[in-house]
Amino acid sequence: MISATGATRAVIEGALHALRDRVAASMAVVVETTGSTYVRCGAIALFAPNAQIGWLSGGCLEPEIARNAQSAAENASVEWMEIDTRDDEDLFAGSAVGCRGRLRLALLPILSMEGWETLANAWIAGEGALEFSIDISGQLDCRIADHSHSWALPSRFSGWHDDENANTCWSIQLPVPRSVVIFGAGPEIPLLVPLLRALGWMTTIAESRTRWLSNTALADRHIAERPETAIKAIEHRLIHAALVMHHNFELDREALQSLATTGIGFIGLLGPKRRRDDLFKVLPPDVRQALLPRLHSPIGLDLGGHGPEAIAISIAAQLQAFMHRK
C-alpha cells in the first residue's frame, strides 16, 4: 500500500469543485518513482484549463503533464505518463530539470468519475483514509470507511519505456487529513491558520470572545463556545492536535482540564514554562498526570525571533515535525 505525503487537501477539494462546475480537469497520481524525484508515490495534483493545484516537480515537468492531462480530460480516458530525467546526456547538454529520477503517472479524467463527491467529502470529514487501486486497463476502485465506488474507464497505454516486466496495478492510500483544534483566536491566528491549511490541516477554532471573532473566519470551522463546551462538540471527531493559546489564564486552565480526558496525542500550550507551572498548580493531580505525556510547553520550535508571526511559524513547524515523527 502506497501512502501519499504532503498536502493533498487542496487537490481533493479542487476535484470536487471541478465536478460541481463541470470543468474538464484531470487528477495526476504518481504511481511509481525511481531515483531522486520531487515527490513520492501517491502524490497527486489537479490540472484544468489554465489552472493547476499541487506540484509534482519544481515546475519543470508541469507543462508536459498539463498537456497530457488535457488529453485525458478531452478523451475521457486514463492517460499514462513516464518522465525519466536520469539520462546523463540531458545533464551534459544543459537540458536536465534538476532531479535525477523517473516518475510514472496516471492521469484520471474527473468528469468521468461520477460518485467521486461522496468519497471526497467523506475524506474531508475525516472518516478515514481514502484507498484506491488503479489498473493499467483503466479499472479504478476507490473506498473509504463504508463508501466505495468503481469506474471502468478507457485506457490509453502504450507501454513503459524499456521495462516489459513493470507493474500493471497499483494501490494508493491518502491518509486521513490532519486535524487541529485551536483554543483562542489571538494575534498568531492570521498567519498560523493559513499556514496550517496550506500544509493540509483541517482547522477548528474554539473562541467565544467578541474581540477575536473576526480571526475565526480563517478556519474551516468555528465553535463559539468556552473550552469545556467546545470539547464536547468535537469529541466524536478525529483530532490529531490541540493548541491552547487564549492569552488568558482561566480559559487556558479550563481548556487543559477538558483536554486531559481526550485521546488527542499532541497538546500545545502557548507561553513560557513559568506560566505552565502556574497552571499546573491549580490543576488536579490526575489532570496533570494525564496531560504530561502529551503536553508541549512552551509550544513551538525555537527558530528565533519574536512576536506573533515568529510564534506562528514556530508552531506550524513543530506540528509538521510531530506529524512526520521528526
Side-chain angles (χ1 to χ4, degrees):
M1 188 71 70
I2 300 167
S3 293
T5 58
T8 60
R9 168 185 173 167
V11 177
I12 298 295
E13 292 177 337
L16 273 174
H17 291 306
L19 264 176
R20 182 196 63 194
D21 300 334
R22 308 308 296 171
V23 174
S26 293
M27 185 164 61
V29 181
V30 178
V31 296
E32 281 187 27
T33 66
T34 302
S36 173
T37 55
Y38 190 78
V39 293
R40 294 291 179 258
C41 294
I44 60 177
L46 189 75
F47 294 87
N50 303 313
Q52 176 187 332
I53 302 174
W55 295 90
L56 302 181
S57 77
C60 45
L61 304 179
E62 270 67 20
E64 183 180 355
I65 299 173
R67 286 191 293 271
N68 284 271
Q70 182 179 358
S71 174
E74 291 175 350
N75 293 303
S77 63
V78 181
E79 303 272 347
W80 302 88
M81 283 188 70
E82 182 176 46
I83 302 174
D84 197 335
T85 60
R86 298 173 297 173
D87 197 331
D88 286 337
E89 291 185 10
D90 289 337
L91 182 67
F92 295 119
S95 59
V97 297
C99 294
R100 299 291 297 274
R102 180 181 65 195
L103 288 174
R104 285 175 174 168
L105 312 176
L107 302 170
L108 310 177
I110 293 298
L111 291 185
S112 299
M113 297 170 59
E114 295 294 340
W116 167 258
E117 303 97 321
T118 300
L119 299 163
N121 282 320
W123 184 83
I124 291 170
E127 293 186 23
L130 178 60
E131 301 175 1
F132 54 98
S133 64
I134 308 173
D135 191 272
I136 210 74
S137 66
Q139 180 67 33
L140 176 61
D141 302 298
C142 292
R143 65 185 178 90
I144 177 173
D146 297 329
H147 312 286
S148 62
H149 206 92
S150 297
W151 300 269
L153 304 173
S155 176
R156 292 157 59 94
F157 179 68
S158 57
W160 302 122
H161 176 69
D162 227 10
D163 194 352
E164 296 180 356
N165 299 315
N167 292 332
T168 59
C169 184
W170 299 266
S171 294
I172 308 291
Q173 183 183 82
L174 304 184
V176 62
R178 311 161 207 159
S179 181
V180 59
V181 58
I182 304 171
F183 292 89
E188 300 81 15
I189 293 301
L191 181 57
L192 176 60
V193 169
L195 263 177
L196 293 176
R197 293 186 67 176
L199 291 168
W201 288 80
M202 307 301 295
T203 56
T204 298
I205 293 180
E207 178 61 87
S208 59
R209 296 169 296 176
T210 304
R211 179 185 180 186
W212 299 111
L213 290 183
S214 61
N215 281 347
T216 63
L218 297 168
D220 298 292
R221 186 180 183 219
H222 170 220
I223 303 175
E225 302 287 351
R226 289 180 64 96
E228 185 177 2
T229 307
I231 287 289
K232 295 176 182 177
I234 63 170
E235 61 186 0
H236 66 286
R237 292 171 173 255
L238 175 61
I239 304 294
H240 296 91
L243 311 180
V244 180
M245 42 198 303
H246 289 104
H247 296 272
N248 178 285
F249 189 88
E250 176 55 26
L251 287 174
D252 282 356
R253 183 207 61 76
E254 184 181 321
L256 289 175
Q257 182 147 348
S258 300
L259 286 166
T261 61
T262 71
I264 298 173
F266 181 106
I267 299 174
L269 175 63
L270 185 65
K273 292 181 180 179
R274 180 174 178 178
R275 189 168 186 276
R276 177 201 61 195
D277 294 342
D278 288 342
L279 282 163
F280 268 36
K281 290 176 183 177
V282 297
L283 290 172
D286 59 328
V287 170
R288 298 197 298 266
Q289 189 67 27
L291 288 172
L292 274 174
R294 301 173 283 157
L295 186 66
H296 300 261
S297 175
I299 189 177
L301 301 181
D302 185 4
L303 303 177
H306 301 280
E309 294 80 14
I311 292 172
I313 292 171
S314 73
I315 293 173
Q318 187 176 27
L319 283 178
Q320 188 74 353
F322 171 76
M323 288 307 299
H324 291 277
R325 297 177 175 83
K326 296 292 186 181

